[in-house]
Amino acid sequence: MPKILIVGGGYAGFYTAWKLEKWLRRGEAEVTVVDPLPYMTYQPFLPEVAAGSIEARHAVVSQRRHLKKTTVITAKVTHINHAEKKATITPAVGESWDFDYDIVVVTGGAVSRTFPIPGVADQAIGLKTIEEAVAIRDRVLENFDKAASLPAGPERARLLNFVVVGGGFAGIEVFAELRSFASSLLKFYPQLSFDDVEFHLIEAMGRIMPEVSLKTSHWVLKNLAERGALVHLDTQLQSAVDGKIELSTGEKFESDLIVWTAGVMANPQIVRNTDLPIEERGRLVVRPDLRVGTDDEIIADAWGAGDISAVRDLSGGGVGGFCVPNAQHAVRQGKLMAKNIVAVLRGEEPKEYMHKNLGAVAGLGIGVGVFQSGKIAIKGSLAWLAHRGYHGLAMPSWERKLRVVGGWVANFFLGRDIVGITAVQTPREAFETFASRPKPAAKPAEEAPAVKKAPARKSAAAAAEPEAVAASK
């Protein structure tokens, strides 16, 4: 029975395995998914997780719960030797081992792409994982708690200055969601005012959200300005050492939270450790039918999809002629790739991936959103409902859909949960602080020179005792 190895359990990998379970006949192939995390993260929900609108666990999908016929291995693939059809699997605990496969599917996704700007690696946080979104939310709440007990001054301003770097879809969404979140918190902190909280978005280009029209992007800028959020266009971050922000315009201020959303790159742990072909931008070379290779050469039994792959956009709408790295493409590529793998196993021809962009929809905080499809643009509450409706339906499995929508309904009546649990980052701190510890062992006494003891002095009664005995005789 052929062994299919799926490297990565994100959008493309999860959907490939999910659909293979549906379309493979019993005994037709054995599927294994290897990913360092035991869940798939629905990344379009990360801004809402950061803003407290969605419970973090509801924005991830358990691989073991939903991939019932697939072997799930929680580990890293640290090398792919396709010439010998071997992959090195490295778990978090224990020794690495080689996995023999017949077909490999590379869907390792992407990671945050940064630049060597002083302080960014030490101070900033990305927005690619659920853990990062939770940390952002908890930091905002913690900073409000700290600032409320401080007088007006530089330290309080630092705690209430929030910075987002990158004006693409992810950057604008988390920026607007956090602005909405911060505004809603003020009623619980009478010590703080609206003017005490500052939001800065730094974008190197002259516009934001290239996925929408220029007119729509201008509406977003106006809406953000009305909500007290500052957008710095044609501006580069030059330094963030110790949270001290220095911009190319000369402006300087301090911030305790810097969110980096300025681009992604193919997972380097995978593309740098394989003999499969990699193009100049560090992505896997993939044909339109999602097989690895070029028009002239096919790498047999190797497939790729999602953010890690350079797939030509046959619709003509891609950047540089390739599909952009987003969930819309990754999900659809994963579904088609599963069909194509089954087709090739049965001696049939695979189909080419062709998907015309349906448009772009973004949530900008409670009740505010934008939607763009061709020349049609919708703004405001209707676009926000479209955003929630689309992503609510796109969330895989009814179990996850119900949890997300149930949370939205609860928030509508009860409001957002504003409890931050920052101590989860150091869960043993409270226990360690008060835990009893064994007393240190007594050190052996050092040998001292012998000292002659003086004879003990007798009491008066003891001295008189011999005389009394003699008199009685």
PDB file of all heavy atoms in Angstrom, residues 314-348:
ATOM      1  N   LEU A 314      -3.111  30.943 -12.921  1.00  0.00           N
ATOM      2  CA  LEU A 314      -3.618  30.888 -14.292  1.00  0.00           C
ATOM      3  C   LEU A 314      -4.735  31.887 -14.556  1.00  0.00           C
ATOM      4  O   LEU A 314      -5.081  32.139 -15.705  1.00  0.00           O
ATOM      5  CB  LEU A 314      -4.115  29.469 -14.597  1.00  0.00           C
ATOM      6  CG  LEU A 314      -3.066  28.351 -14.472  1.00  0.00           C
ATOM      7  CD1 LEU A 314      -3.679  27.010 -14.837  1.00  0.00           C
ATOM      8  CD2 LEU A 314      -1.848  28.653 -15.350  1.00  0.00           C
ATOM      9  N   SER A 315      -5.283  32.485 -13.481  1.00  0.00           N
ATOM     10  CA  SER A 315      -6.338  33.485 -13.664  1.00  0.00           C
ATOM     11  C   SER A 315      -5.776  34.832 -14.091  1.00  0.00           C
ATOM     12  O   SER A 315      -6.506  35.721 -14.509  1.00  0.00           O
ATOM     13  CB  SER A 315      -7.135  33.659 -12.366  1.00  0.00           C
ATOM     14  OG  SER A 315      -6.358  34.333 -11.381  1.00  0.00           O
ATOM     15  N   GLY A 316      -4.447  34.991 -13.947  1.00  0.00           N
ATOM     16  CA  GLY A 316      -3.805  36.243 -14.323  1.00  0.00           C
ATOM     17  C   GLY A 316      -3.864  37.308 -13.253  1.00  0.00           C
ATOM     18  O   GLY A 316      -3.419  38.436 -13.461  1.00  0.00           O
ATOM     19  N   GLY A 317      -4.380  36.962 -12.093  1.00  0.00           N
ATOM     20  CA  GLY A 317      -4.530  37.971 -11.048  1.00  0.00           C
ATOM     21  C   GLY A 317      -3.477  37.933  -9.972  1.00  0.00           C
ATOM     22  O   GLY A 317      -3.525  38.714  -9.028  1.00  0.00           O
ATOM     23  N   GLY A 318      -2.527  37.046 -10.064  1.00  0.00           N
ATOM     24  CA  GLY A 318      -1.521  36.918  -9.011  1.00  0.00           C
ATOM     25  C   GLY A 318      -0.422  37.956  -9.104  1.00  0.00           C
ATOM     26  O   GLY A 318      -0.217  38.599 -10.140  1.00  0.00           O
ATOM     27  N   VAL A 319       0.293  38.134  -8.008  1.00  0.00           N
ATOM     28  CA  VAL A 319       1.422  39.058  -7.968  1.00  0.00           C
ATOM     29  C   VAL A 319       2.634  38.373  -8.585  1.00  0.00           C
ATOM     30  O   VAL A 319       3.034  37.295  -8.151  1.00  0.00           O
ATOM     31  CB  VAL A 319       1.723  39.482  -6.511  1.00  0.00           C
ATOM     32  CG1 VAL A 319       2.950  40.389  -6.464  1.00  0.00           C
ATOM     33  CG2 VAL A 319       0.524  40.184  -5.907  1.00  0.00           C
ATOM     34  N   GLY A 320       3.189  38.974  -9.632  1.00  0.00           N
ATOM     35  CA  GLY A 320       4.329  38.374 -10.309  1.00  0.00           C
ATOM     36  C   GLY A 320       3.983  37.104 -11.057  1.00  0.00           C
ATOM     37  O   GLY A 320       4.867  36.316 -11.393  1.00  0.00           O
ATOM     38  N   GLY A 321       2.701  36.899 -11.304  1.00  0.00           N
ATOM     39  CA  GLY A 321       2.263  35.716 -12.038  1.00  0.00           C
ATOM     40  C   GLY A 321       2.026  34.494 -11.171  1.00  0.00           C
ATOM     41  O   GLY A 321       1.685  33.429 -11.701  1.00  0.00           O
ATOM     42  N   PHE A 322       2.178  34.621  -9.828  1.00  0.00           N
ATOM     43  CA  PHE A 322       2.001  33.487  -8.927  1.00  0.00           C
ATOM     44  C   PHE A 322       0.858  33.746  -7.948  1.00  0.00           C
ATOM     45  O   PHE A 322       0.504  34.896  -7.662  1.00  0.00           O
ATOM     46  CB  PHE A 322       3.295  33.221  -8.150  1.00  0.00           C
ATOM     47  CG  PHE A 322       4.437  32.773  -9.008  1.00  0.00           C
ATOM     48  CD1 PHE A 322       5.369  33.687  -9.488  1.00  0.00           C
ATOM     49  CD2 PHE A 322       4.579  31.435  -9.353  1.00  0.00           C
ATOM     50  CE1 PHE A 322       6.427  33.275 -10.287  1.00  0.00           C
ATOM     51  CE2 PHE A 322       5.628  31.012 -10.144  1.00  0.00           C
ATOM     52  CZ  PHE A 322       6.556  31.925 -10.620  1.00  0.00           C
ATOM     53  N   CYS A 323       0.313  32.662  -7.427  1.00  0.00           N
ATOM     54  CA  CYS A 323      -0.740  32.776  -6.423  1.00  0.00           C
ATOM     55  C   CYS A 323      -0.174  33.434  -5.168  1.00  0.00           C
ATOM     56  O   CYS A 323       0.913  33.080  -4.712  1.00  0.00           O
ATOM     57  CB  CYS A 323      -1.293  31.396  -6.062  1.00  0.00           C
ATOM     58  SG  CYS A 323      -2.128  30.538  -7.416  1.00  0.00           S
ATOM     59  N   VAL A 324      -0.909  34.386  -4.637  1.00  0.00           N
ATOM     60  CA  VAL A 324      -0.445  35.064  -3.431  1.00  0.00           C
ATOM     61  C   VAL A 324      -0.599  34.129  -2.234  1.00  0.00           C
ATOM     62  O   VAL A 324      -1.471  33.249  -2.223  1.00  0.00           O
ATOM     63  CB  VAL A 324      -1.237  36.370  -3.193  1.00  0.00           C
ATOM     64  CG1 VAL A 324      -0.984  37.349  -4.310  1.00  0.00           C
ATOM     65  CG2 VAL A 324      -2.726  36.087  -3.045  1.00  0.00           C
ATOM     66  N   PRO A 325       0.230  34.290  -1.211  1.00  0.00           N
ATOM     67  CA  PRO A 325       0.145  33.396  -0.051  1.00  0.00           C
ATOM     68  C   PRO A 325      -1.011  33.781   0.876  1.00  0.00           C
ATOM     69  O   PRO A 325      -0.855  34.602   1.779  1.00  0.00           O
ATOM     70  CB  PRO A 325       1.504  33.602   0.643  1.00  0.00           C
ATOM     71  CG  PRO A 325       1.918  34.975   0.249  1.00  0.00           C
ATOM     72  CD  PRO A 325       1.373  35.223  -1.121  1.00  0.00           C
ATOM     73  N   ASN A 326      -2.174  33.212   0.638  1.00  0.00           N
ATOM     74  CA  ASN A 326      -3.310  33.470   1.527  1.00  0.00           C
ATOM     75  C   ASN A 326      -4.133  32.196   1.698  1.00  0.00           C
ATOM     76  O   ASN A 326      -3.942  31.194   1.004  1.00  0.00           O
ATOM     77  CB  ASN A 326      -4.175  34.630   1.012  1.00  0.00           C
ATOM     78  CG  ASN A 326      -4.821  34.353  -0.333  1.00  0.00           C
ATOM     79  OD1 ASN A 326      -4.977  33.203  -0.751  1.00  0.00           O
ATOM     80  ND2 ASN A 326      -5.214  35.407  -1.024  1.00  0.00           N
ATOM     81  N   ALA A 327      -5.076  32.257   2.629  1.00  0.00           N
ATOM     82  CA  ALA A 327      -5.885  31.082   2.959  1.00  0.00           C
ATOM     83  C   ALA A 327      -6.776  30.672   1.795  1.00  0.00           C
ATOM     84  O   ALA A 327      -7.036  29.480   1.596  1.00  0.00           O
ATOM     85  CB  ALA A 327      -6.726  31.373   4.201  1.00  0.00           C
ATOM     86  N   GLN A 328      -7.250  31.638   1.039  1.00  0.00           N
ATOM     87  CA  GLN A 328      -8.153  31.341  -0.070  1.00  0.00           C
ATOM     88  C   GLN A 328      -7.529  30.365  -1.053  1.00  0.00           C
ATOM     89  O   GLN A 328      -8.168  29.395  -1.487  1.00  0.00           O
ATOM     90  CB  GLN A 328      -8.530  32.658  -0.767  1.00  0.00           C
ATOM     91  CG  GLN A 328      -9.718  32.561  -1.685  1.00  0.00           C
ATOM     92  CD  GLN A 328     -10.138  33.919  -2.228  1.00  0.00           C
ATOM     93  OE1 GLN A 328     -10.466  34.043  -3.396  1.00  0.00           O
ATOM     94  NE2 GLN A 328     -10.127  34.948  -1.392  1.00  0.00           N
ATOM     95  N   HIS A 329      -6.265  30.587  -1.394  1.00  0.00           N
ATOM     96  CA  HIS A 329      -5.566  29.686  -2.317  1.00  0.00           C
ATOM     97  C   HIS A 329      -5.174  28.379  -1.627  1.00  0.00           C
ATOM     98  O   HIS A 329      -5.319  27.294  -2.202  1.00  0.00           O
ATOM     99  CB  HIS A 329      -4.318  30.361  -2.874  1.00  0.00           C
ATOM    100  CG  HIS A 329      -4.608  31.364  -3.950  1.00  0.00           C
ATOM    101  ND1 HIS A 329      -5.320  31.054  -5.093  1.00  0.00           N
ATOM    102  CD2 HIS A 329      -4.282  32.686  -4.050  1.00  0.00           C
ATOM    103  CE1 HIS A 329      -5.411  32.136  -5.852  1.00  0.00           C
ATOM    104  NE2 HIS A 329      -4.803  33.139  -5.247  1.00  0.00           N
ATOM    105  N   ALA A 330      -4.660  28.463  -0.403  1.00  0.00           N
ATOM    106  CA  ALA A 330      -4.159  27.260   0.267  1.00  0.00           C
ATOM    107  C   ALA A 330      -5.254  26.219   0.454  1.00  0.00           C
ATOM    108  O   ALA A 330      -5.034  25.019   0.218  1.00  0.00           O
ATOM    109  CB  ALA A 330      -3.547  27.634   1.612  1.00  0.00           C
ATOM    110  N   VAL A 331      -6.437  26.660   0.860  1.00  0.00           N
ATOM    111  CA  VAL A 331      -7.543  25.724   1.075  1.00  0.00           C
ATOM    112  C   VAL A 331      -7.949  25.062  -0.233  1.00  0.00           C
ATOM    113  O   VAL A 331      -8.101  23.831  -0.313  1.00  0.00           O
ATOM    114  CB  VAL A 331      -8.743  26.450   1.712  1.00  0.00           C
ATOM    115  CG1 VAL A 331      -9.987  25.561   1.689  1.00  0.00           C
ATOM    116  CG2 VAL A 331      -8.418  26.858   3.141  1.00  0.00           C
ATOM    117  N   ARG A 332      -8.099  25.852  -1.274  1.00  0.00           N
ATOM    118  CA  ARG A 332      -8.545  25.303  -2.564  1.00  0.00           C
ATOM    119  C   ARG A 332      -7.476  24.428  -3.210  1.00  0.00           C
ATOM    120  O   ARG A 332      -7.781  23.426  -3.840  1.00  0.00           O
ATOM    121  CB  ARG A 332      -8.965  26.446  -3.494  1.00  0.00           C
ATOM    122  CG  ARG A 332     -10.297  27.070  -3.080  1.00  0.00           C
ATOM    123  CD  ARG A 332     -10.574  28.355  -3.851  1.00  0.00           C
ATOM    124  NE  ARG A 332     -11.925  28.827  -3.576  1.00  0.00           N
ATOM    125  CZ  ARG A 332     -12.291  29.489  -2.476  1.00  0.00           C
ATOM    126  NH1 ARG A 332     -11.386  29.734  -1.546  1.00  0.00           N
ATOM    127  NH2 ARG A 332     -13.533  29.880  -2.289  1.00  0.00           N
ATOM    128  N   GLN A 333      -6.216  24.820  -3.034  1.00  0.00           N
ATOM    129  CA  GLN A 333      -5.139  23.985  -3.563  1.00  0.00           C
ATOM    130  C   GLN A 333      -5.082  22.647  -2.843  1.00  0.00           C
ATOM    131  O   GLN A 333      -4.865  21.597  -3.469  1.00  0.00           O
ATOM    132  CB  GLN A 333      -3.798  24.718  -3.427  1.00  0.00           C
ATOM    133  CG  GLN A 333      -3.631  25.870  -4.403  1.00  0.00           C
ATOM    134  CD  GLN A 333      -2.371  26.678  -4.141  1.00  0.00           C
ATOM    135  OE1 GLN A 333      -1.577  26.337  -3.275  1.00  0.00           O
ATOM    136  NE2 GLN A 333      -2.197  27.757  -4.892  1.00  0.00           N
ATOM    137  N   GLY A 334      -5.290  22.662  -1.527  1.00  0.00           N
ATOM    138  CA  GLY A 334      -5.287  21.414  -0.777  1.00  0.00           C
ATOM    139  C   GLY A 334      -6.379  20.469  -1.239  1.00  0.00           C
ATOM    140  O   GLY A 334      -6.156  19.258  -1.397  1.00  0.00           O
ATOM    141  N   LYS A 335      -7.564  21.015  -1.478  1.00  0.00           N
ATOM    142  CA  LYS A 335      -8.680  20.177  -1.942  1.00  0.00           C
ATOM    143  C   LYS A 335      -8.388  19.576  -3.314  1.00  0.00           C
ATOM    144  O   LYS A 335      -8.606  18.381  -3.553  1.00  0.00           O
ATOM    145  CB  LYS A 335      -9.964  21.009  -1.996  1.00  0.00           C
ATOM    146  CG  LYS A 335     -10.488  21.439  -0.639  1.00  0.00           C
ATOM    147  CD  LYS A 335     -11.739  22.295  -0.795  1.00  0.00           C
ATOM    148  CE  LYS A 335     -12.292  22.732   0.551  1.00  0.00           C
ATOM    149  NZ  LYS A 335     -13.504  23.579   0.404  1.00  0.00           N
ATOM    150  N   LEU A 336      -7.890  20.420  -4.246  1.00  0.00           N
ATOM    151  CA  LEU A 336      -7.593  19.926  -5.594  1.00  0.00           C
ATOM    152  C   LEU A 336      -6.433  18.934  -5.560  1.00  0.00           C
ATOM    153  O   LEU A 336      -6.455  17.919  -6.282  1.00  0.00           O
ATOM    154  CB  LEU A 336      -7.264  21.090  -6.527  1.00  0.00           C
ATOM    155  CG  LEU A 336      -6.864  20.674  -7.947  1.00  0.00           C
ATOM    156  CD1 LEU A 336      -8.025  19.990  -8.660  1.00  0.00           C
ATOM    157  CD2 LEU A 336      -6.365  21.863  -8.755  1.00  0.00           C
ATOM    158  N   MET A 337      -5.441  19.194  -4.730  1.00  0.00           N
ATOM    159  CA  MET A 337      -4.287  18.304  -4.684  1.00  0.00           C
ATOM    160  C   MET A 337      -4.698  16.905  -4.234  1.00  0.00           C
ATOM    161  O   MET A 337      -4.194  15.901  -4.751  1.00  0.00           O
ATOM    162  CB  MET A 337      -3.213  18.873  -3.752  1.00  0.00           C
ATOM    163  CG  MET A 337      -1.914  18.077  -3.767  1.00  0.00           C
ATOM    164  SD  MET A 337      -0.507  19.044  -3.150  1.00  0.00           S
ATOM    165  CE  MET A 337      -1.091  19.481  -1.534  1.00  0.00           C
ATOM    166  N   ALA A 338      -5.620  16.817  -3.274  1.00  0.00           N
ATOM    167  CA  ALA A 338      -6.106  15.507  -2.847  1.00  0.00           C
ATOM    168  C   ALA A 338      -6.756  14.769  -4.017  1.00  0.00           C
ATOM    169  O   ALA A 338      -6.511  13.571  -4.229  1.00  0.00           O
ATOM    170  CB  ALA A 338      -7.091  15.665  -1.692  1.00  0.00           C
ATOM    171  N   LYS A 339      -7.559  15.484  -4.796  1.00  0.00           N
ATOM    172  CA  LYS A 339      -8.197  14.861  -5.972  1.00  0.00           C
ATOM    173  C   LYS A 339      -7.160  14.423  -6.990  1.00  0.00           C
ATOM    174  O   LYS A 339      -7.260  13.338  -7.576  1.00  0.00           O
ATOM    175  CB  LYS A 339      -9.163  15.857  -6.620  1.00  0.00           C
ATOM    176  CG  LYS A 339     -10.471  16.063  -5.873  1.00  0.00           C
ATOM    177  CD  LYS A 339     -11.405  16.963  -6.663  1.00  0.00           C
ATOM    178  CE  LYS A 339     -12.754  17.107  -5.973  1.00  0.00           C
ATOM    179  NZ  LYS A 339     -13.685  17.978  -6.734  1.00  0.00           N
ATOM    180  N   ASN A 340      -6.136  15.272  -7.196  1.00  0.00           N
ATOM    181  CA  ASN A 340      -5.114  14.940  -8.185  1.00  0.00           C
ATOM    182  C   ASN A 340      -4.259  13.755  -7.765  1.00  0.00           C
ATOM    183  O   ASN A 340      -3.867  12.923  -8.594  1.00  0.00           O
ATOM    184  CB  ASN A 340      -4.220  16.160  -8.441  1.00  0.00           C
ATOM    185  CG  ASN A 340      -4.894  17.190  -9.351  1.00  0.00           C
ATOM    186  OD1 ASN A 340      -5.951  16.925  -9.926  1.00  0.00           O
ATOM    187  ND2 ASN A 340      -4.284  18.354  -9.479  1.00  0.00           N
ATOM    188  N   ILE A 341      -3.959  13.659  -6.479  1.00  0.00           N
ATOM    189  CA  ILE A 341      -3.180  12.516  -5.995  1.00  0.00           C
ATOM    190  C   ILE A 341      -3.954  11.225  -6.225  1.00  0.00           C
ATOM    191  O   ILE A 341      -3.405  10.215  -6.695  1.00  0.00           O
ATOM    192  CB  ILE A 341      -2.830  12.696  -4.505  1.00  0.00           C
ATOM    193  CG1 ILE A 341      -1.829  13.835  -4.327  1.00  0.00           C
ATOM    194  CG2 ILE A 341      -2.262  11.398  -3.917  1.00  0.00           C
ATOM    195  CD1 ILE A 341      -1.583  14.231  -2.877  1.00  0.00           C
ATOM    196  N   VAL A 342      -5.241  11.245  -5.909  1.00  0.00           N
ATOM    197  CA  VAL A 342      -6.076  10.065  -6.122  1.00  0.00           C
ATOM    198  C   VAL A 342      -6.156   9.734  -7.612  1.00  0.00           C
ATOM    199  O   VAL A 342      -6.075   8.562  -8.016  1.00  0.00           O
ATOM    200  CB  VAL A 342      -7.490  10.290  -5.538  1.00  0.00           C
ATOM    201  CG1 VAL A 342      -8.416   9.135  -5.910  1.00  0.00           C
ATOM    202  CG2 VAL A 342      -7.414  10.433  -4.017  1.00  0.00           C
ATOM    203  N   ALA A 343      -6.270  10.774  -8.448  1.00  0.00           N
ATOM    204  CA  ALA A 343      -6.348  10.546  -9.894  1.00  0.00           C
ATOM    205  C   ALA A 343      -5.080   9.872 -10.410  1.00  0.00           C
ATOM    206  O   ALA A 343      -5.144   8.898 -11.181  1.00  0.00           O
ATOM    207  CB  ALA A 343      -6.577  11.875 -10.616  1.00  0.00           C
ATOM    208  N   VAL A 344      -3.910  10.356  -9.994  1.00  0.00           N
ATOM    209  CA  VAL A 344      -2.647   9.779 -10.459  1.00  0.00           C
ATOM    210  C   VAL A 344      -2.495   8.342  -9.947  1.00  0.00           C
ATOM    211  O   VAL A 344      -2.009   7.464 -10.678  1.00  0.00           O
ATOM    212  CB  VAL A 344      -1.464  10.664 -10.018  1.00  0.00           C
ATOM    213  CG1 VAL A 344      -0.139   9.980 -10.307  1.00  0.00           C
ATOM    214  CG2 VAL A 344      -1.520  12.018 -10.734  1.00  0.00           C
ATOM    215  N   LEU A 345      -2.907   8.087  -8.719  1.00  0.00           N
ATOM    216  CA  LEU A 345      -2.849   6.724  -8.193  1.00  0.00           C
ATOM    217  C   LEU A 345      -3.682   5.767  -9.050  1.00  0.00           C
ATOM    218  O   LEU A 345      -3.353   4.578  -9.181  1.00  0.00           O
ATOM    219  CB  LEU A 345      -3.354   6.692  -6.745  1.00  0.00           C
ATOM    220  CG  LEU A 345      -2.395   7.190  -5.653  1.00  0.00           C
ATOM    221  CD1 LEU A 345      -3.118   7.248  -4.309  1.00  0.00           C
ATOM    222  CD2 LEU A 345      -1.167   6.297  -5.554  1.00  0.00           C
ATOM    223  N   ARG A 346      -4.743   6.288  -9.653  1.00  0.00           N
ATOM    224  CA  ARG A 346      -5.636   5.451 -10.445  1.00  0.00           C
ATOM    225  C   ARG A 346      -5.350   5.541 -11.942  1.00  0.00           C
ATOM    226  O   ARG A 346      -6.150   5.121 -12.775  1.00  0.00           O
ATOM    227  CB  ARG A 346      -7.088   5.857 -10.170  1.00  0.00           C
ATOM    228  CG  ARG A 346      -7.489   5.613  -8.721  1.00  0.00           C
ATOM    229  CD  ARG A 346      -8.857   6.169  -8.388  1.00  0.00           C
ATOM    230  NE  ARG A 346      -9.154   5.998  -6.963  1.00  0.00           N
ATOM    231  CZ  ARG A 346     -10.212   6.536  -6.337  1.00  0.00           C
ATOM    232  NH1 ARG A 346     -11.060   7.304  -7.025  1.00  0.00           N
ATOM    233  NH2 ARG A 346     -10.405   6.332  -5.047  1.00  0.00           N
ATOM    234  N   GLY A 347      -4.193   6.151 -12.280  1.00  0.00           N
ATOM    235  CA  GLY A 347      -3.794   6.220 -13.676  1.00  0.00           C
ATOM    236  C   GLY A 347      -4.490   7.281 -14.480  1.00  0.00           C
ATOM    237  O   GLY A 347      -4.487   7.236 -15.714  1.00  0.00           O
ATOM    238  N   GLU A 348      -5.057   8.278 -13.807  1.00  0.00           N
ATOM    239  CA  GLU A 348      -5.755   9.360 -14.502  1.00  0.00           C
ATOM    240  C   GLU A 348      -4.895  10.619 -14.502  1.00  0.00           C
ATOM    241  O   GLU A 348      -3.886  10.713 -13.802  1.00  0.00           O
ATOM    242  CB  GLU A 348      -7.105   9.629 -13.815  1.00  0.00           C
ATOM    243  CG  GLU A 348      -8.021   8.417 -13.770  1.00  0.00           C
ATOM    244  CD  GLU A 348      -9.226   8.645 -12.875  1.00  0.00           C
ATOM    245  OE1 GLU A 348      -9.388   9.787 -12.365  1.00  0.00           O
ATOM    246  OE2 GLU A 348      -9.991   7.692 -12.636  1.00  0.00           O
TER     247      GLU A 348
END
